[in-house]
Amino acid sequence: MRKQEEFIEDPRFAQCNKEMWATLGLFVVNILLVGGISLWFGLNKSADSMSYILGFPAWFFWGCLVGTIVFCILPYFMIKVFFKDMSIEAEDER
């Protein structure tokens, strides 16, 4: 009977998993906040009762314009906190 080799997980897998969950979390927060803000300001309102900011309906301004700007800046900080620079080259067999 052949002895089974013990599997040693590459530590880069754990880091990649952490980065994946951080990215997925940011995506979910983006969808919930942008969608939630847009619904909060714009749901069940007629065009006459809507407020406008710089010519845009408030729901579009806060949800789409400001939300997009915020979520274009947040990945910079997420990369500084969660992501690590690592080689993707294969390591030598030991």
Side-chain angles (χ1 to χ4, degrees):
M1 195 190 289
R2 196 171 96 174
K3 182 180 175 184
Q4 220 175 14
E5 293 182 28
E6 186 177 322
F7 177 73
I8 300 172
E9 185 175 305
D10 190 333
R12 295 178 293 182
F13 291 152
Q15 178 61 31
C16 289
N17 197 30
K18 178 181 168 184
E19 293 174 6
M20 181 269 306
W21 284 112
T23 303
L24 185 64
L26 184 69
F27 173 74
V28 169
V29 169
N30 180 11
I31 296 299
L32 291 176
L33 281 179
V34 169
I37 289 171
S38 297
L39 284 173
W40 179 277
F41 282 106
L43 192 61
N44 295 328
K45 290 188 178 179
S46 66
D48 296 335
S49 66
M50 281 189 188
S51 58
Y52 292 88
I53 301 171
L54 299 175
F56 297 106
W59 67 268
F60 182 83
F61 179 81
W62 293 111
C64 296
L65 298 180
V66 174
T68 299
I69 291 169
V70 168
F71 282 100
C72 283
I73 295 170
L74 281 180
Y76 172 80
F77 295 105
M78 186 179 77
I79 289 170
K80 292 292 185 188
V81 173
F82 290 106
F83 286 57
K84 291 185 179 167
D85 191 19
M86 61 184 159
S87 172
I88 57 172
E89 298 293 322
E91 293 184 354
D92 294 337
E93 295 281 331
R94 292 181 190 170

